[in-house]
């Protein structure tokens, strides 16, 4: 396949959709599965204060387009959840957060997203082990750092499945 033909396929915003009777109906815009959605966290997430199962808010950081149509406008609310939270612990164990992206909202429509991000705090395990050998139980009092995802952190989600779009009139 030539490069020009490949570019036409990749940039084509419309798709023919068959009707139950086998005929073709009018072409429609389709937001393709796997389309990247750039998101920005609204608040700081922290392994010390946030818990597994908690939802957190993000906003869409840039328009997601299908051709000239804006499928997901910049500033649209989006949501994720804390999939796993690990508190920092003794012997230098670092805290951790695993984030799961859930959906972006456009009007009354939720666009399901795929994507995960993991953050881990700094570990102090080496210092705890050395201290433990030298002075016994004191290593148990050395803890790692908590994980943190600052407000404004950019995350990337991906559209879960193909979604037909209704162009605005």
């Amino acid at each position: 396949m030539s490069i020009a033909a490949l570019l036409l396929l990749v940039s084509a915003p419309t798709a023919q959709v068959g009707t139950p009777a086998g005929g073709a109906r009018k072409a429609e815009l389709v937001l393709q599965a796997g389309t990247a959605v750039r998101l920005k966290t609204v608040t700081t997430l922290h392994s010390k204060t946030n818990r597994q199962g908690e939802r957190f808010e993000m906003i869409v950081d840039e328009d997601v387009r299908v051709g000239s149509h804006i499928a997901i406008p910049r500033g649209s609310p989006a949501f994720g959840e804390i999939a796993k939270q690990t508190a920092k612990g003794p012997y230098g164990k670092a805290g951790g957060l695993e984030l799961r992206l859930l959906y972006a909202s456009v009007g009354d429509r939720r666009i399901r997203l795929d994507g995960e991000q993991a953050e881990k705090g700094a570990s102090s395990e080496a210092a705890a082990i050395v201290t433990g050998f030298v002075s016994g139980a004191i290593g148990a009092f050395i803890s790692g750092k908590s994980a943190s995802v600052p407000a404004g952190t950019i995350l990337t989600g991906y559209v879960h499945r193909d979604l037909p779009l209704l162009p605005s009139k």
Side-chain angles (χ1 to χ4, degrees):
M1 180 179 285
S2 73
I3 293 176
L6 185 59
L7 287 174
L8 283 173
L9 281 174
V10 171
S11 63
T14 59
Q16 285 291 335
V17 177
T19 61
R25 66 178 186 212
K26 185 177 177 185
E28 59 186 28
L29 296 173
V30 175
L31 178 59
Q32 299 290 324
T35 299
V37 181
R38 185 178 153 112
L39 306 161
K40 186 179 350 180
T41 57
V42 174
T43 60
T44 297
L45 304 172
H46 202 280
S47 62
K48 187 175 182 177
T49 56
N50 293 103
R51 297 290 172 245
Q52 185 171 326
E54 265 184 57
R55 297 261 171 121
F56 62 92
E57 189 174 353
M58 300 169 287
I59 58 170
V60 175
D61 193 48
E62 55 189 38
D63 291 338
V64 176
R65 296 179 173 272
V66 175
S68 61
H69 180 78
I70 297 174
I72 306 174
R74 178 181 183 190
S76 295
F79 297 88
E81 78 176 359
I82 309 291
K84 185 176 181 182
Q85 175 270 341
T86 309
K88 68 180 185 173
Y91 298 102
K93 179 183 166 206
L97 286 173
E98 291 181 22
L99 310 177
R100 181 181 308 126
L101 307 180
L102 298 174
Y103 63 89
S105 292
V106 178
D108 61 352
R109 188 175 197 182
R110 289 183 175 182
I111 299 174
R112 187 171 163 197
L113 300 174
D114 292 326
E116 294 181 351
Q117 168 103 11
E119 289 295 324
K120 190 171 184 179
S123 174
S124 300
E125 289 175 345
I129 290 169
V130 169
T131 304
F133 282 131
V134 173
S135 57
I138 295 178
F141 295 103
I142 296 176
S143 68
K145 303 290 183 192
S146 296
S148 180
V149 178
T153 297
I154 300 297
L155 305 173
T156 303
Y158 299 92
V159 175
H160 178 70
R161 63 181 172 90
D162 288 353
L163 292 172
L165 303 173
L166 302 173
S168 56
K169 296 180 180 181

